[in-house]
Amino acid sequence: MLRTEERQRLARERREEREKQHAAKETQILEKERKAKLQYEKQLEERQRKLKEMKQKEEQRRAAVEEKRKQKIEEEKERYEAVLHRTLERSQRLETRQKRWSWGGSGTPDSEGKTASKRSPSTANLKQAEAAVSKCLSSSAALLNASDRTRRYQLSPLDSSVISRLLAPTQASLARSKSAATLSAD
């Protein structure tokens, strides 16, 4: 009987020891799971924070690029307007010169030879002025067209239409200048 009691006691002690070990293992497993979960949440938060920062930087960069683009367009508009203004001034000066030259001389038949001789240097000057204006306008138009071709993909349709409207009077004034020069030369 003593032996049986001793065996039962030893078996009970072993069982209790196994249960303690099992409980300790479970506690360790739960602790590991908790730590892993915390680490995963930290990593997730860090990723979200980095993504948010990247989005903000990208938005700032886009805004800066857009602002730069708007400034360039504004500067180009101002430059085109200045070129247009100068061109119009030149053509008006040329038109006033042409009017002055066409008024010279009396209209009588006996002084016709004198008038023609007076007008021939003026006509030569007019042709020189026309050539200079034409050269200036064509070079500025070539510059505008070249710069327009390089920037065509950057400009919005609205900006393109504004620029083409700004360029149209330049070409029209050039045509007027040429026709006025032709008329006065005749």
Side-chain angles (χ1 to χ4, degrees), residues 23-169:
K25 278 184 183 178
E26 274 189 38
T27 306
Q28 283 179 347
I29 289 171
L30 288 173
E31 185 64 25
K32 280 182 182 177
E33 285 177 357
R34 190 183 64 79
K35 283 181 181 178
K37 188 177 179 182
L38 283 174
Q39 187 176 3
Y40 175 75
E41 287 173 355
K42 279 183 184 178
Q43 287 175 346
L44 196 62
E45 286 175 6
E46 185 68 20
R47 278 188 204 146
Q48 288 174 346
R49 187 183 59 79
K50 283 183 181 177
L51 279 173
K52 193 175 181 181
E53 285 177 2
M54 284 173 56
K55 282 181 183 178
Q56 286 176 345
K57 284 180 183 177
E58 184 65 24
E59 285 174 7
Q60 289 173 349
R61 189 188 66 79
R62 281 188 194 148
V65 166
E66 184 65 22
E67 186 62 31
K68 237 182 201 179
R69 187 183 71 79
K70 284 180 181 177
Q71 281 179 342
K72 273 187 178 180
I73 288 172
E74 191 60 36
E75 288 170 3
E76 287 170 8
K77 281 181 186 176
E78 288 173 7
R79 215 175 328 132
Y80 288 139
E81 286 173 2
V83 166
L84 179 65
H85 184 70
R86 283 195 306 268
T87 306
L88 287 174
E89 282 180 355
R90 285 180 191 147
S91 66
Q92 286 173 353
R93 273 188 260 144
L94 185 63
E95 285 174 11
T96 56
R97 283 184 195 159
Q98 290 168 355
K99 286 177 185 174
R100 248 187 286 153
W101 291 331
S102 66
W103 293 341
S106 64
T108 59
D110 59 353
S111 64
E112 194 62 42
K114 291 178 184 175
T115 307
S117 65
K118 281 183 185 175
R119 267 192 274 197
S120 59
S122 298
T123 307
N125 289 341
L126 178 63
K127 287 183 180 178
Q128 287 174 352
E130 179 195 2
V133 167
S134 165
K135 182 179 178 184
C136 182
L137 289 175
S138 64
S139 66
S140 65
L143 270 173
L144 293 174
N145 288 339
S147 62
D148 186 40
R149 267 186 253 116
T150 57
R151 274 183 266 92
R152 185 169 289 150
Y153 64 93
Q154 294 176 346
L155 295 176
S156 70
L158 177 64
D159 294 334
S160 296
S161 68
V162 168
I163 289 171
S164 65
R165 274 191 274 137
L166 286 173
L167 288 175

